[in-house]
Amino acid sequence: MSDTTPAPVDDTAAFEDTTDVDDHGTVPHDEVRDETSFALFEGDEGRLDEPQRRAFVALLRHTYVSARTHADEWRAVLDAEAQLRSRLNDLFLELHVDRDREVAWKRQARSESQRRAFPTLLRDVPYTREETIVLVWLRMRLRADTRPGPDQVVVDRSEILGHVAGFLPAGSTDRTRDEARVASAVDRLVRARILLRTTDPDRFRVASVVEVLLPLERLLELDTWLRTATSDGGEVVDGAAPGLQAEPTDTDDEGEPAA
């Protein structure tokens, strides 16, 4: 009869661990390698790879990121939406992504507490009277345009000036001041890439993203408010637009000339 008793096993020889340990049995810190790290420089402990980091920076710097304005960054947003949302949330910011219109943008998160607001890295500067008027007009122009494709509507500086003039107080006689305010409004909307430069410095393409930043219900509300204020003989006050969240003044660079 054969012996079926298991052979003795040497537990100490089950495997060989070549990891160095100190006198206390712990692995030295510099020997630990985090496989989830995407180090790009010495001491880098980031958890995003380079394309994701570039998308993160673009979201912070610019009013929006789109497939048209930032193709590489837009792809990174799609690939790492959850990670980027988490990083923005850490800064008290919200990420909004419209996949149909291929645009992503940030918003300041609002605290539900009435006692303590969230700190912010952005300077929230309300739209001026002229900027509000121009935004509503641009949104109306986009709504009326039926041509396919993004950024098809082109406007002239003179058209913008003429439209804003219809909302000025009846007693306004300082044309130089009024034109300077409109020029300032145009410059801000160019920096925000709502107006896109062309080869002609006085002609701009209207970015389709304004449809996202100024949805229809808010457009109608603002249009009614502007017309009521004008018909009553009052002057539209800077930053007083109902329901229109001010765009953050960030470090967005100048828009590139469009073809």
Side-chain angles (χ1 to χ4, degrees), residues 239-254:
L244 180 58
Q245 180 177 343
E247 281 298 306
T249 298
D250 48 23
T251 56
D252 201 2
D253 56 342
E254 295 292 332

Side-chain angles (χ1 to χ4, degrees), residues 98-174:
D98 188 321
R99 292 175 179 266
D100 293 333
R101 294 184 176 87
E102 298 185 316
V103 59
W105 69 100
K106 64 185 177 297
R107 279 285 187 267
Q108 179 66 44
R110 304 302 181 186
S111 173
E112 296 181 0
S113 171
Q114 299 297 320
R115 295 165 37 181
R116 189 177 185 185
F118 292 144
T120 176
L121 297 175
L122 309 175
R123 292 193 300 116
D124 206 19
V125 181
Y127 282 116
T128 65
R129 171 189 58 201
E130 290 77 15
E131 289 163 358
T132 302
I133 294 170
V134 174
L135 270 173
V136 171
W137 181 64
L138 295 177
R139 180 65 174 87
M140 290 287 196
R141 289 289 301 268
L142 279 178
R143 187 184 178 201
D145 186 74
T146 58
R147 288 175 296 176
D151 311 338
Q152 296 296 319
V153 176
V154 178
V155 296
D156 293 327
R157 190 182 297 270
S158 59
E159 288 184 272
I160 298 174
L161 181 61
H163 180 76
V164 175
F167 290 87
L168 296 177
S172 178
T173 58
D174 193 339

Side-chain angles (χ1 to χ4, degrees), residues 63-64 127-128 130-138 160 182-197 204-207 209-210 213 247 252-255:
T63 302
Y64 66 91
Y127 282 116
T128 65
E130 290 77 15
E131 289 163 358
T132 302
I133 294 170
V134 174
L135 270 173
V136 171
W137 181 64
L138 295 177
I160 298 174
V182 175
S184 179
V186 169
D187 288 342
R188 182 177 178 185
L189 296 179
V190 167
R191 289 194 299 272
R193 285 193 173 90
I194 292 174
L195 286 175
L196 307 176
R197 295 184 186 277
F204 307 92
R205 293 188 181 276
V206 182
V209 70
V210 75
L213 302 178
E247 281 298 306
D252 201 2
D253 56 342
E254 295 292 332

